[in-house]
mmCIF file with all atom_site columns, all heavy atoms in Angstrom:
data_model
loop_
_atom_site.group_PDB
_atom_site.id
_atom_site.type_symbol
_atom_site.label_atom_id
_atom_site.label_alt_id
_atom_site.label_comp_id
_atom_site.label_asym_id
_atom_site.label_entity_id
_atom_site.label_seq_id
_atom_site.pdbx_PDB_ins_code
_atom_site.Cartn_x
_atom_site.Cartn_y
_atom_site.Cartn_z
_atom_site.occupancy
_atom_site.B_iso_or_equiv
_atom_site.pdbx_formal_charge
_atom_site.auth_seq_id
_atom_site.auth_comp_id
_atom_site.auth_asym_id
_atom_site.auth_atom_id
_atom_site.pdbx_PDB_model_num
ATOM 1  N N   . ALA A 1 179 ? -32.815 -86.744 -96.607  1.00 83.00 ? 1426 ALA A N   1
ATOM 2  C CA  . ALA A 1 179 ? -31.542 -86.336 -97.175  1.00 83.00 ? 1426 ALA A CA  1
ATOM 3  C C   . ALA A 1 179 ? -31.537 -86.322 -98.659  1.00 83.00 ? 1426 ALA A C   1
ATOM 4  O O   . ALA A 1 179 ? -30.860 -85.498 -99.299  1.00 83.00 ? 1426 ALA A O   1
ATOM 5  C CB  . ALA A 1 179 ? -30.436 -87.288 -96.676  1.00 83.00 ? 1426 ALA A CB  1
ATOM 6  N N   . GLN A 1 180 ? -32.434 -87.046 -99.269  1.00 82.00 ? 1427 GLN A N   1
ATOM 7  C CA  . GLN A 1 180 ? -32.516 -87.100 -100.764 1.00 82.00 ? 1427 GLN A CA  1
ATOM 8  C C   . GLN A 1 180 ? -32.940 -85.705 -101.309 1.00 82.00 ? 1427 GLN A C   1
ATOM 9  O O   . GLN A 1 180 ? -32.650 -85.372 -102.436 1.00 82.00 ? 1427 GLN A O   1
ATOM 10 C CB  . GLN A 1 180 ? -33.581 -88.185 -101.216 1.00 82.00 ? 1427 GLN A CB  1
ATOM 11 C CG  . GLN A 1 180 ? -34.996 -87.916 -100.693 1.00 82.00 ? 1427 GLN A CG  1
ATOM 12 C CD  . GLN A 1 180 ? -36.007 -88.981 -101.123 1.00 82.00 ? 1427 GLN A CD  1
ATOM 13 O OE1 . GLN A 1 180 ? -36.078 -89.264 -102.371 1.00 82.00 ? 1427 GLN A OE1 1
ATOM 14 N NE2 . GLN A 1 180 ? -36.756 -89.533 -100.269 1.00 82.00 ? 1427 GLN A NE2 1
ATOM 15 N N   . PHE A 1 181 ? -33.658 -84.933 -100.523 1.00 81.00 ? 1428 PHE A N   1
ATOM 16 C CA  . PHE A 1 181 ? -34.101 -83.622 -101.021 1.00 81.00 ? 1428 PHE A CA  1
ATOM 17 C C   . PHE A 1 181 ? -32.991 -82.650 -100.973 1.00 81.00 ? 1428 PHE A C   1
ATOM 18 O O   . PHE A 1 181 ? -33.121 -81.523 -101.433 1.00 81.00 ? 1428 PHE A O   1
ATOM 19 C CB  . PHE A 1 181 ? -35.281 -83.144 -100.162 1.00 81.00 ? 1428 PHE A CB  1
ATOM 20 C CG  . PHE A 1 181 ? -36.556 -83.925 -100.322 1.00 81.00 ? 1428 PHE A CG  1
ATOM 21 C CD1 . PHE A 1 181 ? -36.981 -84.801 -99.354  1.00 81.00 ? 1428 PHE A CD1 1
ATOM 22 C CD2 . PHE A 1 181 ? -37.343 -83.736 -101.502 1.00 81.00 ? 1428 PHE A CD2 1
ATOM 23 C CE1 . PHE A 1 181 ? -38.135 -85.574 -99.590  1.00 81.00 ? 1428 PHE A CE1 1
ATOM 24 C CE2 . PHE A 1 181 ? -38.473 -84.515 -101.641 1.00 81.00 ? 1428 PHE A CE2 1
ATOM 25 C CZ  . PHE A 1 181 ? -38.911 -85.375 -100.706 1.00 81.00 ? 1428 PHE A CZ  1
ATOM 26 N N   . VAL A 1 182 ? -31.899 -83.011 -100.309 1.00 85.00 ? 1429 VAL A N   1
ATOM 27 C CA  . VAL A 1 182 ? -30.731 -82.066 -100.126 1.00 85.00 ? 1429 VAL A CA  1
ATOM 28 C C   . VAL A 1 182 ? -29.584 -82.487 -101.071 1.00 85.00 ? 1429 VAL A C   1
ATOM 29 O O   . VAL A 1 182 ? -28.826 -81.662 -101.509 1.00 85.00 ? 1429 VAL A O   1
ATOM 30 C CB  . VAL A 1 182 ? -30.278 -82.080 -98.675  1.00 85.00 ? 1429 VAL A CB  1
ATOM 31 C CG1 . VAL A 1 182 ? -29.109 -81.060 -98.485  1.00 85.00 ? 1429 VAL A CG1 1
ATOM 32 C CG2 . VAL A 1 182 ? -31.437 -81.769 -97.773  1.00 85.00 ? 1429 VAL A CG2 1
ATOM 33 N N   . THR A 1 183 ? -29.591 -83.806 -101.442 1.00 88.00 ? 1430 THR A N   1
ATOM 34 C CA  . THR A 1 183 ? -28.522 -84.302 -102.328 1.00 88.00 ? 1430 THR A CA  1
ATOM 35 C C   . THR A 1 183 ? -28.783 -83.751 -103.741 1.00 88.00 ? 1430 THR A C   1
ATOM 36 O O   . THR A 1 183 ? -29.877 -83.756 -104.221 1.00 88.00 ? 1430 THR A O   1
ATOM 37 C CB  . THR A 1 183 ? -28.509 -85.809 -102.298 1.00 88.00 ? 1430 THR A CB  1
ATOM 38 O OG1 . THR A 1 183 ? -28.206 -86.273 -100.988 1.00 88.00 ? 1430 THR A OG1 1
ATOM 39 C CG2 . THR A 1 183 ? -27.553 -86.342 -103.322 1.00 88.00 ? 1430 THR A CG2 1
ATOM 40 N N   . TYR A 1 184 ? -27.659 -83.326 -104.342 1.00 88.00 ? 1431 TYR A N   1
ATOM 41 C CA  . TYR A 1 184 ? -27.833 -82.807 -105.767 1.00 88.00 ? 1431 TYR A CA  1
ATOM 42 C C   . TYR A 1 184 ? -26.480 -82.921 -106.473 1.00 88.00 ? 1431 TYR A C   1
ATOM 43 O O   . TYR A 1 184 ? -25.435 -83.241 -105.960 1.00 88.00 ? 1431 TYR A O   1
ATOM 44 C CB  . TYR A 1 184 ? -28.318 -81.327 -105.704 1.00 88.00 ? 1431 TYR A CB  1
ATOM 45 C CG  . TYR A 1 184 ? -27.360 -80.352 -105.171 1.00 88.00 ? 1431 TYR A CG  1
ATOM 46 C CD1 . TYR A 1 184 ? -26.615 -79.507 -105.978 1.00 88.00 ? 1431 TYR A CD1 1
ATOM 47 C CD2 . TYR A 1 184 ? -27.188 -80.182 -103.769 1.00 88.00 ? 1431 TYR A CD2 1
ATOM 48 C CE1 . TYR A 1 184 ? -25.724 -78.529 -105.484 1.00 88.00 ? 1431 TYR A CE1 1
ATOM 49 C CE2 . TYR A 1 184 ? -26.325 -79.257 -103.222 1.00 88.00 ? 1431 TYR A CE2 1
ATOM 50 C CZ  . TYR A 1 184 ? -25.587 -78.464 -104.107 1.00 88.00 ? 1431 TYR A CZ  1
ATOM 51 O OH  . TYR A 1 184 ? -24.686 -77.521 -103.597 1.00 88.00 ? 1431 TYR A OH  1
ATOM 52 N N   . THR A 1 185 ? -26.521 -82.566 -107.827 1.00 88.00 ? 1432 THR A N   1
ATOM 53 C CA  . THR A 1 185 ? -25.431 -82.667 -108.701 1.00 88.00 ? 1432 THR A CA  1
ATOM 54 C C   . THR A 1 185 ? -25.049 -81.378 -109.358 1.00 88.00 ? 1432 THR A C   1
ATOM 55 O O   . THR A 1 185 ? -25.962 -80.673 -109.846 1.00 88.00 ? 1432 THR A O   1
ATOM 56 C CB  . THR A 1 185 ? -25.598 -83.746 -109.778 1.00 88.00 ? 1432 THR A CB  1
ATOM 57 O OG1 . THR A 1 185 ? -25.776 -85.026 -109.125 1.00 88.00 ? 1432 THR A OG1 1
ATOM 58 C CG2 . THR A 1 185 ? -24.347 -83.841 -110.628 1.00 88.00 ? 1432 THR A CG2 1
ATOM 59 N N   . ILE A 1 186 ? -23.815 -80.939 -109.322 1.00 88.00 ? 1433 ILE A N   1
ATOM 60 C CA  . ILE A 1 186 ? -23.410 -79.787 -110.124 1.00 88.00 ? 1433 ILE A CA  1
ATOM 61 C C   . ILE A 1 186 ? -22.962 -80.380 -111.456 1.00 88.00 ? 1433 ILE A C   1
ATOM 62 O O   . ILE A 1 186 ? -21.943 -81.039 -111.570 1.00 88.00 ? 1433 ILE A O   1
ATOM 63 C CB  . ILE A 1 186 ? -22.156 -79.073 -109.500 1.00 88.00 ? 1433 ILE A CB  1
ATOM 64 C CG1 . ILE A 1 186 ? -22.578 -78.543 -108.102 1.00 88.00 ? 1433 ILE A CG1 1
ATOM 65 C CG2 . ILE A 1 186 ? -21.800 -77.903 -110.344 1.00 88.00 ? 1433 ILE A CG2 1
ATOM 66 C CD1 . ILE A 1 186 ? -21.478 -77.989 -107.280 1.00 88.00 ? 1433 ILE A CD1 1
#
Side-chain angles (χ1 to χ4, degrees):
Q1427 61 179 313
F1428 293 104
V1429 183
T1430 297
Y1431 68 101
T1432 298
I1433 301 175

